[in-house]
Amino acid sequence: MLAGKNITVGVTGGIAVFKVAQLVSSLTATGAAVRVMMTKSAREFVTPLTFQTLSGRQVYTDLFERPAGGSVQHIDLASGSDLIILAPATANIIGKIAGGIADDLISTVVMAASCPVIICPAMNVNMYNNRIVQRNLAILGDQGYHFVEPGLGRLACGTEGRGRLAELELIMDKIEAIFANEGDLQGRSVMVTAGPTVEPVDPVRYLTNRSSGKMGYAVADAAARRGARVVLISGPVELRPPAGVEVVPVQTAAEMHAAVLDNFSAVDVVIMSAAVADYRPRNTAAQKIKKHGETMTIELEKNPDILAELGRIKKQQLLIGFAAETEDLERNAQKKVAAKNLEMLVANDVTLPGAGFGTDTNIAKLIFPDGRIVSLPKMDKLALAHRILDEVLVLLK
Ligand code: CTP
């Protein structure tokens, strides 16, 4: 899948540089054309010769170096890349990109590039948790940069925590997910729902849930990359819409219900990853509710079960549901497949580390109406999105 792809690896200064040597070696072995850029700090850890030997190509270190022929190196590197990976990505390079600074080769190439960029942070746990670093990561996430989160464990500085460069397998998963199956959903229409719904109590309060929308946005992104027409019905989330996707923003379950029904007849597949509120306040107060007494009761009434309704009225459409469980996952999930008349359910135990709300990874089981269960390992949400679409493709045939 990676053969012939132009992959540029930006190496910044951290001890995890030595692991990136293995990454470059593995990427080169796939047949990809791998170019390596190094910052001055990265060269304190490893010399360019290491990467030159592993990639079989010149290593780029200097913004002002003029290649033969007089072209501009950072523009050539940016426009000639199908993918850029920053690994290890220090707090410094993350801050520079988030702040719009381009003062060395890597930051300038990233600024000039229009291809996907994967950032693999690696740093001391306190640096990683620093609020400015986290703010910068959030800014980049909103702008469509991809991440492979650092892992937990012992850090080179002797402390324990999150900050180790992610396992190479997760980085390779992410890279493959970006290039996966380009075009195999051409001519198909997919509706994806994502995020939470919010159910107003009064003008300043609402009921909602912890859904970040990341899984649904990854599915929409993957489906669009594979050539499908994608409509994404989204509750309120802090994510940038994937390129080439029609987004219909909604707030409440009732609005999501209406938007889904509006689009239903025109699609081949519905992937319902939204965390729809099961109940809403029976009455929404027109004015802010004042406090009275020691307790307060809000009466709730049931929202429509959108997916169950689709299960009753579907014609050609495939229906894929999601279920977040905290106990008895397989039995609960199988009941939902039958009750909602689904072709597949993606169930995950949200109590496991690395699964569920807000994380960039998921651990899921795919449950089918014939009782078949496929247990998937922990994977990046974009990789899981592609795995789900692989099954969709089989079901469509
Ligand atoms: N769903 C829906 N409309 C609702 C509630 C859920 O379409 N009002 C969809 C979700 O998008 C998801 C699936 O149904 O695809 C989840 O099934 P559900 O039975 O709602 O799961 P839970 O809410 O987890 O159910 P329970 O609380 O009973 O476990």
Side-chain angles (χ1 to χ4, degrees), residues 193 195 253 256 260 271-279 302-310 320-325 332 336 339-340 342 345-346:
T193 67
M256 184 169 280
V260 167
I271 303 179
M272 207 52 218
S273 80
V276 186
D278 290 325
Y279 294 88
K302 209 154 189 197
N303 271 323
D305 188 323
I306 305 170
L307 192 55
E309 183 173 335
L310 300 184
I320 317 295
F322 273 73
E325 303 289 351
N332 283 330
K336 281 177 196 174
K340 303 195 186 200
L342 307 179
L345 184 86
V346 183

Side-chain angles (χ1 to χ4, degrees), residues 9-92:
V9 182
V11 185
T12 65
I15 185 62
V17 169
F18 78 94
K19 292 192 201 163
V20 178
Q22 181 61 53
L23 177 69
V24 166
S25 168
S26 305
L27 281 173
T28 307
T30 65
V34 184
R35 286 178 184 76
V36 177
M37 314 179 277
M38 296 178 81
T39 59
K40 188 166 174 296
S41 315
R43 283 178 276 136
E44 297 286 336
F45 290 90
V46 176
T47 68
L49 184 61
T50 304
F51 288 108
Q52 185 185 320
T53 310
L54 293 171
S55 68
R57 287 185 160 75
Q58 173 202 351
V59 170
Y60 300 84
T61 57
D62 182 3
L63 179 58
F64 296 104
E65 194 178 315
R66 288 278 154 172
S71 58
V72 181
Q73 184 161 278
H74 63 273
I75 303 296
D76 286 357
L77 274 170
S79 59
S81 299
D82 299 311
L83 173 70
I84 295 174
I85 305 159
L86 302 183
T90 56
N92 184 48

